[in-house]
Amino acid sequence: MFITRECDYAARVLRALSAETRLSVNEICEKESITAPFAYKILKKLQKAGIVKGYRGVHGGYAMNKSMTELTLFDVYSAIDPDLFIIECMASGYECPVDGRGDHLPCYMHRELCEIQQGVWKMLKRKNLQEVFAPEN
């Protein structure tokens, strides 16, 4: 599936962190109903992407490293899953077994899916996380 549970939980982790200056993994898990091993895995990826900042020690935990207005769902999802494609043939380097080879015609389906892929990315980039988590009523 395109948007995995891990991607969804990453957005929820950021939602929890957005309201606080710093939270422990246990506090994040409690607020968002996520298991600790899953939260650690997600936070590691978010930290690697520079989205969150980790603190060690007794008063350690995690905090936002970027503001919610700087981030989109695309940023979050691609930090978790860099191969954010609707289908595997969208990935660079993928060699289609039928596209223009031998008696096969060019793969027009691929062209259509590329347009859909671009549309999905555009939609994920259209609002920042502040707008997603606290829309104006």
Side-chain angles (χ1 to χ4, degrees):
M1 185 173 169
F2 174 66
I3 298 174
T4 63
R5 182 183 308 160
E6 188 176 8
C7 287
D8 176 51
Y9 284 9
R12 291 168 52 187
V13 164
L14 295 179
R15 179 175 59 195
L17 288 173
S18 70
E20 306 290 338
T21 53
R22 188 183 303 182
L23 290 174
S24 71
V25 172
N26 289 337
E27 290 169 322
I28 293 169
C29 293
E30 187 175 302
K31 283 180 172 274
E32 295 295 336
S33 301
I34 302 171
T35 64
F38 211 15
Y40 277 113
K41 181 179 175 185
I42 290 166
L43 285 160
K44 184 176 180 181
K45 290 180 181 183
L46 293 174
Q47 189 172 5
K48 183 178 178 185
I51 295 173
V52 301
K53 190 174 194 178
Y55 297 91
R56 295 178 185 251
V58 177
H59 300 289
Y62 290 88
M64 296 295 299
N65 197 38
K66 292 186 177 183
S67 76
M68 298 299 275
T69 58
E70 293 178 85
L71 297 167
T72 65
L73 286 173
F74 180 83
D75 299 321
V76 177
Y77 292 170
S78 49
I80 299 302
D81 185 3
D83 297 324
L84 193 60
F85 302 113
I86 60 172
I87 190 167
E88 66 184 340
C89 71
M90 297 289 110
S92 66
Y94 178 83
E95 292 191 31
C96 181
V98 296
D99 188 24
R101 292 197 170 86
D103 294 337
H104 297 286
L105 295 172
C107 182
Y108 297 113
M109 178 67 96
H110 180 80
R111 293 178 190 167
E112 183 67 18
L113 292 174
C114 283
E115 282 188 45
I116 293 168
Q117 179 72 63
Q118 292 301 317
V120 168
W121 285 347
K122 185 178 178 180
M123 291 295 291
L124 290 172
K125 293 175 182 179
R126 72 188 164 103
K127 292 182 179 179
N128 64 48
L129 291 185
Q130 182 66 38
E131 294 168 316
V132 171
F133 294 144
E136 293 182 35
N137 296 325

